[in-house]
Structures are given as structure tokens and as C-alpha cells.
Amino acid sequence: ELKVEQNPLFLSMQEGKNYTIYCNYSTTSDRLYWYRQDPGKSLESLFVLLSNGAVKQEGRLMASLDTKARLSTLHITAAVHDLSATYFCAVEVYGQNFVFGPGTRLSVLP
Amino acid sequence: EAGVTQFPSHSVIEKGQTVTLRCDPISGHDNLYWYRRVMGKEIKFLLHFVKESKQDESGMPNNRFLAERTGGTYSTLKVQPAELEDSGVYFCASSQSQGLNTDTQYFGPGTRLTVL
């Protein structure tokens, strides 16, 4: 059974600081996704990571994938308040499973 | 505490048939969301209930899809008649309240629908 964990579940950080959210999963996967969810809104796709060593960056967010360790990271650089949201990772085993992590609620404080 | 549950986990039907998916949110959660992921594509929002009322149904693809949440508890999503392009995984999520710190959405395991 595919299980996806995220760490931490809650994160408060000050503007300008850096931090990393971790996503661990239990079985070999084909794709890993990162999503953002703003309060009261639906999911927004951030990144799709397809292969070992994949790294993608968009603004202050950078995601990476280590398939051997079954680990993905979402790194936040010089956080700003607009990044406050809940971040989900999701893991796909093609044609079989698509499982969300529990989400990490990020609050960026001024 | 029980999480969001969905039933069935898998459904295989023929084109033209009807299928009803069910979602049981976490007890006490007013908000209930339906999402769909068609194979190889991104997750798409379908609709959002607040209690028994449809808050936002802008993502519903067409009138073959009907969602209900009688009594503000569980929700059903009916597809009638089903078409091939309806195949995918349907996710349900719930959250406690909007606009407060309790609005994190908790996702169910999804229902995988295959239309042949």
C-alpha cells in the first residue's frame, strides 16, 4: 500500500527565512506532484517531478526528487507572506495509485 | 478520528451506464469538495459544498454530472450517462470551516472510475 508522509505538518516562519518541506513515500513511484492550496480554494499545481534527481524551480520555490530515497523536498527561499498556504505532495504509481500527503500548512509571518 | 472515506474504491462500467460515487467527510466538516483526475492530466476542481449548499460548481464538466449533499453530511456524485472520457480518479476532500485556521482540506483515497 502506497503511503505518503509530509514533514512538518505545520510550519511558521518569518519573512526572509529559508525552509524545506519533506515528502516521503513508501513504494516505487512514477511521478511526484506538489500542489498549493490557498484557504477556501482548490488545488493549484506547482511542480511535476518525473525522474530521479529532477529539480524544478519557480520563483522562491524549488522542488527536488530522490527516487532512491523515496523523498521529495520543497525548498522555500527568502519566504514572503504570499507563500502562506497549505502545500501537498502527491505520489503516482502509474495506472494504480495516486495518493496525497497530509499537507503542510505554512504561515509566513512579517 | 476517521478520515475522509470514499466508496467504491474502484468502479468499472460500460458507456451509457450510471454510476454513483459516495464521499463521507470527516465528521463536523462543513466544507466538502469534489475533484477529478483524468489519466495523465492534472487534478481538476469540480465543486464545493458548504453544508448542503453548493458554494461553487464551476468545475462541473457538463449536465451528466450531478452532485448532492442532502443533510450536509455525506455527498454523492452521479454520472449519467457515463462516457469514456469520464474515466479517472475522483477525489473528495473536506475541511472544517472557511476563513479560519481550520480550513485545511483532508483528502479521501479516491474512487477510480473506468468507463469501457
Side-chain angles (χ1 to χ4, degrees):
Chain A
E1 179 186 356
L2 174 58
K3 294 184 179 180
V4 182
E5 298 178 341
Q6 287 182 235
N7 178 42
L9 298 181
F10 298 93
L11 175 58
S12 290
M13 56 190 299
Q14 288 187 319
E15 283 190 327
K17 298 294 186 180
N18 304 332
Y19 210 85
T20 300
I21 300 171
Y22 298 89
C23 173
N24 293 87
Y25 53 98
S26 60
T27 67
T28 302
S29 75
D30 296 297
R31 294 184 178 188
L32 190 138
Y33 302 78
W34 283 99
Y35 294 92
R36 168 180 173 150
Q37 182 233 324
D38 289 292
K41 297 187 178 181
S42 63
L43 298 176
E44 173 192 351
S45 179
L46 295 175
F47 302 106
V48 181
L49 302 171
L50 302 177
S51 60
N52 188 43
V55 177
K56 291 193 175 181
Q57 184 165 3
E58 182 72 32
R60 301 176 187 273
L61 300 178
M62 183 174 71
S64 66
L65 178 62
D66 181 343
T67 57
K68 294 180 181 178
R70 297 176 184 167
L71 170 68
S72 179
T73 61
L74 181 66
H75 187 72
I76 303 157
T77 302
V80 294
H81 179 68
D82 287 349
L83 290 179
S84 296
T86 299
Y87 292 85
F88 291 92
C89 66
V91 176
E92 178 177 18
V93 177
Y94 192 74
Q96 297 182 36
N97 281 311
F98 188 98
V99 179
F100 283 95
T104 295
R105 176 185 286 277
L106 172 65
S107 295
V108 181
L109 308 175
Chain B
E1 177 182 317
V4 177
T5 58
Q6 292 185 244
F7 181 83
S9 57
H10 295 84
S11 180
V12 181
I13 61 172
E14 293 186 346
K15 175 182 174 181
Q17 289 186 320
T18 298
V19 63
T20 300
L21 313 181
R22 173 171 169 146
C23 169
D24 286 79
I26 293 172
S27 178
H29 281 197
D30 289 338
N31 296 281
L32 188 148
Y33 304 80
W34 281 100
Y35 296 87
R36 177 173 74 167
R37 184 174 184 267
V38 174
M39 186 65 72
K41 297 188 177 180
E42 282 297 344
I43 288 177
K44 295 291 186 183
F45 165 80
L46 296 178
L47 87 160
H48 168 207
F49 283 98
V50 177
K51 297 184 180 179
E52 67 274 12
S53 299
K54 293 176 183 176
Q55 179 78 6
D56 180 355
E57 53 183 329
S58 60
M60 294 288 266
N62 51 62
N63 59 10
R64 295 185 293 104
F65 288 75
L66 174 64
E68 295 180 325
R69 192 183 182 194
T70 306
T73 55
Y74 70 91
S75 174
T76 57
L77 180 64
K78 180 188 289 187
V79 185
Q80 179 182 27
E83 298 289 343
L84 297 179
E85 62 265 26
D86 299 333
S87 295
V89 182
Y90 290 76
F91 290 98
C92 173
S94 72
S95 68
Q96 188 170 355
S97 300
Q98 267 191 308
L100 302 175
N101 291 329
T102 52
D103 56 8
T104 295
Q105 294 185 24
Y106 295 84
F107 282 84
T111 293
R112 180 175 294 278
L113 174 65
T114 302
V115 183
L116 303 175

Short mmCIF file of all heavy atoms in Angstrom, two decimals, chain A residues 47-75:
data_model
loop_
_atom_site.label_atom_id
_atom_site.label_comp_id
_atom_site.label_asym_id
_atom_site.label_seq_id
_atom_site.Cartn_x
_atom_site.Cartn_y
_atom_site.Cartn_z
N PHE A 47 4.50 21.75 -9.20
CA PHE A 47 5.56 21.03 -9.89
C PHE A 47 5.14 19.59 -10.17
O PHE A 47 4.40 19.00 -9.39
CB PHE A 47 6.84 20.99 -9.05
CG PHE A 47 7.38 22.33 -8.66
CD1 PHE A 47 7.26 22.80 -7.36
CD2 PHE A 47 8.04 23.12 -9.59
CE1 PHE A 47 7.77 24.03 -6.99
CE2 PHE A 47 8.55 24.36 -9.24
CZ PHE A 47 8.42 24.81 -7.94
N VAL A 48 5.70 19.05 -11.24
CA VAL A 48 5.62 17.62 -11.51
C VAL A 48 7.05 17.12 -11.66
O VAL A 48 7.80 17.65 -12.50
CB VAL A 48 4.83 17.31 -12.79
CG1 VAL A 48 4.76 15.79 -13.00
CG2 VAL A 48 3.44 17.89 -12.71
N LEU A 49 7.44 16.15 -10.90
CA LEU A 49 8.79 15.61 -10.93
C LEU A 49 8.72 14.19 -11.46
O LEU A 49 8.01 13.35 -10.92
CB LEU A 49 9.41 15.64 -9.54
CG LEU A 49 9.46 17.03 -8.89
CD1 LEU A 49 9.88 16.94 -7.44
CD2 LEU A 49 10.40 17.94 -9.66
N LEU A 50 9.51 13.93 -12.50
CA LEU A 50 9.35 12.68 -13.22
C LEU A 50 10.47 11.67 -12.99
O LEU A 50 10.27 10.47 -13.21
CB LEU A 50 9.24 12.95 -14.71
CG LEU A 50 8.09 13.87 -15.14
CD1 LEU A 50 8.15 14.10 -16.64
CD2 LEU A 50 6.76 13.27 -14.74
N SER A 51 11.64 12.12 -12.63
CA SER A 51 12.76 11.19 -12.59
C SER A 51 13.70 11.51 -11.44
O SER A 51 13.69 12.61 -10.89
CB SER A 51 13.53 11.25 -13.91
OG SER A 51 14.03 12.54 -14.13
N ASN A 52 14.53 10.54 -11.13
CA ASN A 52 15.48 10.71 -10.04
C ASN A 52 16.40 11.89 -10.32
O ASN A 52 16.93 12.03 -11.43
CB ASN A 52 16.30 9.44 -9.86
CG ASN A 52 17.17 9.51 -8.62
OD1 ASN A 52 16.74 9.96 -7.56
ND2 ASN A 52 18.41 9.08 -8.75
N GLY A 53 16.57 12.73 -9.33
CA GLY A 53 17.45 13.88 -9.49
C GLY A 53 16.77 15.09 -10.11
O GLY A 53 17.40 16.13 -10.27
N ALA A 54 15.49 14.95 -10.44
CA ALA A 54 14.79 16.07 -11.05
C ALA A 54 14.73 17.24 -10.07
O ALA A 54 14.50 17.06 -8.88
CB ALA A 54 13.39 15.66 -11.45
N VAL A 55 14.97 18.42 -10.61
CA VAL A 55 14.89 19.66 -9.83
C VAL A 55 14.13 20.67 -10.66
O VAL A 55 14.45 20.88 -11.83
CB VAL A 55 16.27 20.21 -9.47
CG1 VAL A 55 16.13 21.53 -8.72
CG2 VAL A 55 17.06 19.21 -8.64
N LYS A 56 13.14 21.29 -10.03
CA LYS A 56 12.40 22.34 -10.71
C LYS A 56 12.27 23.54 -9.80
O LYS A 56 12.12 23.39 -8.59
CB LYS A 56 11.02 21.84 -11.15
CG LYS A 56 11.08 20.81 -12.26
CD LYS A 56 9.71 20.58 -12.86
CE LYS A 56 9.81 19.63 -14.05
NZ LYS A 56 8.50 19.41 -14.68
N GLN A 57 12.32 24.72 -10.41
CA GLN A 57 12.25 25.95 -9.62
C GLN A 57 11.26 26.91 -10.23
O GLN A 57 11.18 27.05 -11.45
CB GLN A 57 13.62 26.60 -9.51
CG GLN A 57 13.64 27.84 -8.61
CD GLN A 57 15.03 28.25 -8.22
OE1 GLN A 57 16.01 27.65 -8.64
NE2 GLN A 57 15.13 29.27 -7.38
N GLU A 58 10.52 27.57 -9.35
CA GLU A 58 9.58 28.59 -9.78
C GLU A 58 9.57 29.65 -8.69
O GLU A 58 9.07 29.41 -7.59
CB GLU A 58 8.18 28.01 -9.97
CG GLU A 58 7.16 29.01 -10.45
CD GLU A 58 7.33 29.42 -11.89
OE1 GLU A 58 7.79 28.58 -12.70
OE2 GLU A 58 7.04 30.58 -12.21
N GLY A 59 10.15 30.78 -9.01
CA GLY A 59 10.21 31.86 -8.02
C GLY A 59 11.01 31.44 -6.80
O GLY A 59 12.14 30.99 -6.91
N ARG A 60 10.39 31.54 -5.65
CA ARG A 60 11.07 31.23 -4.39
C ARG A 60 10.94 29.76 -3.99
O ARG A 60 11.40 29.36 -2.91
CB ARG A 60 10.49 32.10 -3.28
CG ARG A 60 10.64 33.59 -3.53
CD ARG A 60 9.96 34.42 -2.45
NE ARG A 60 9.98 35.83 -2.80
CZ ARG A 60 11.00 36.64 -2.49
NH1 ARG A 60 12.03 36.18 -1.82
NH2 ARG A 60 10.95 37.91 -2.85
N LEU A 61 10.30 28.97 -4.82
CA LEU A 61 10.10 27.56 -4.53
C LEU A 61 10.96 26.70 -5.45
O LEU A 61 11.05 26.96 -6.65
CB LEU A 61 8.63 27.18 -4.72
CG LEU A 61 7.61 27.91 -3.87
CD1 LEU A 61 6.21 27.46 -4.21
CD2 LEU A 61 7.89 27.73 -2.39
N MET A 62 11.56 25.68 -4.84
CA MET A 62 12.34 24.71 -5.61
C MET A 62 12.02 23.32 -5.11
O MET A 62 12.07 23.06 -3.91
CB MET A 62 13.84 24.97 -5.48
CG MET A 62 14.69 24.03 -6.33
SD MET A 62 16.43 24.45 -6.30
CE MET A 62 16.85 23.98 -4.64
N ALA A 63 11.69 22.42 -6.03
CA ALA A 63 11.36 21.05 -5.68
C ALA A 63 12.38 20.11 -6.26
O ALA A 63 12.88 20.31 -7.38
CB ALA A 63 9.96 20.70 -6.18
N SER A 64 12.68 19.06 -5.52
CA SER A 64 13.62 18.05 -5.98
C SER A 64 13.09 16.67 -5.66
O SER A 64 12.22 16.51 -4.81
CB SER A 64 14.99 18.25 -5.34
OG SER A 64 14.90 18.02 -3.95
N LEU A 65 13.64 15.68 -6.37
CA LEU A 65 13.17 14.30 -6.19
C LEU A 65 14.35 13.35 -6.12
O LEU A 65 15.23 13.38 -6.99
CB LEU A 65 12.25 13.90 -7.34
CG LEU A 65 11.71 12.47 -7.31
CD1 LEU A 65 10.85 12.23 -6.07
CD2 LEU A 65 10.91 12.18 -8.57
N ASP A 66 14.35 12.52 -5.11
CA ASP A 66 15.33 11.43 -4.96
C ASP A 66 14.54 10.14 -4.90
O ASP A 66 14.01 9.78 -3.85
CB ASP A 66 16.15 11.65 -3.69
CG ASP A 66 17.21 10.57 -3.48
OD1 ASP A 66 17.11 9.50 -4.13
OD2 ASP A 66 18.12 10.78 -2.68
N THR A 67 14.44 9.45 -6.02
CA THR A 67 13.60 8.25 -6.07
C THR A 67 14.21 7.09 -5.28
O THR A 67 13.49 6.23 -4.81
CB THR A 67 13.36 7.81 -7.52
OG1 THR A 67 14.63 7.58 -8.14
CG2 THR A 67 12.58 8.86 -8.29
N LYS A 68 15.52 7.12 -5.15
CA LYS A 68 16.15 6.02 -4.40
C LYS A 68 15.81 6.14 -2.91
O LYS A 68 15.57 5.13 -2.23
CB LYS A 68 17.66 6.05 -4.60
CG LYS A 68 18.06 5.74 -6.03
CD LYS A 68 19.58 5.78 -6.20
CE LYS A 68 19.95 5.47 -7.65
NZ LYS A 68 21.43 5.55 -7.86
N ALA A 69 15.80 7.34 -2.42
CA ALA A 69 15.44 7.59 -1.02
C ALA A 69 13.93 7.72 -0.85
O ALA A 69 13.45 7.80 0.29
CB ALA A 69 16.13 8.85 -0.51
N ARG A 70 13.20 7.75 -1.97
CA ARG A 70 11.74 7.96 -1.93
C ARG A 70 11.42 9.23 -1.16
O ARG A 70 10.60 9.25 -0.22
CB ARG A 70 11.03 6.74 -1.35
CG ARG A 70 11.23 5.50 -2.19
CD ARG A 70 10.62 4.27 -1.57
NE ARG A 70 10.91 3.08 -2.37
CZ ARG A 70 10.73 1.84 -1.93
NH1 ARG A 70 10.24 1.63 -0.72
NH2 ARG A 70 11.02 0.83 -2.71
N LEU A 71 12.07 10.29 -1.59
CA LEU A 71 11.98 11.56 -0.88
C LEU A 71 11.94 12.70 -1.88
O LEU A 71 12.73 12.75 -2.83
CB LEU A 71 13.20 11.73 0.03
CG LEU A 71 13.41 13.09 0.67
CD1 LEU A 71 12.31 13.37 1.70
CD2 LEU A 71 14.78 13.18 1.31
N SER A 72 11.01 13.61 -1.63
CA SER A 72 11.00 14.86 -2.37
C SER A 72 11.05 16.01 -1.38
O SER A 72 10.54 15.89 -0.27
CB SER A 72 9.74 14.97 -3.23
OG SER A 72 9.72 16.20 -3.93
N THR A 73 11.69 17.08 -1.78
CA THR A 73 11.75 18.26 -0.93
C THR A 73 11.19 19.47 -1.68
O THR A 73 11.30 19.57 -2.90
CB THR A 73 13.18 18.57 -0.50
OG1 THR A 73 13.98 18.83 -1.66
CG2 THR A 73 13.78 17.42 0.29
N LEU A 74 10.58 20.34 -0.93
CA LEU A 74 10.12 21.62 -1.45
C LEU A 74 10.82 22.68 -0.62
O LEU A 74 10.55 22.83 0.57
CB LEU A 74 8.60 21.76 -1.32
CG LEU A 74 8.00 23.06 -1.84
CD1 LEU A 74 8.18 23.17 -3.35
CD2 LEU A 74 6.52 23.16 -1.49
N HIS A 75 11.75 23.37 -1.27
CA HIS A 75 12.57 24.35 -0.55
C HIS A 75 12.04 25.75 -0.80
O HIS A 75 11.76 26.12 -1.94
CB HIS A 75 14.03 24.26 -1.00
CG HIS A 75 14.94 25.12 -0.18
ND1 HIS A 75 15.28 24.82 1.12
CD2 HIS A 75 15.55 26.29 -0.48
CE1 HIS A 75 16.08 25.77 1.59
NE2 HIS A 75 16.26 26.66 0.64
#
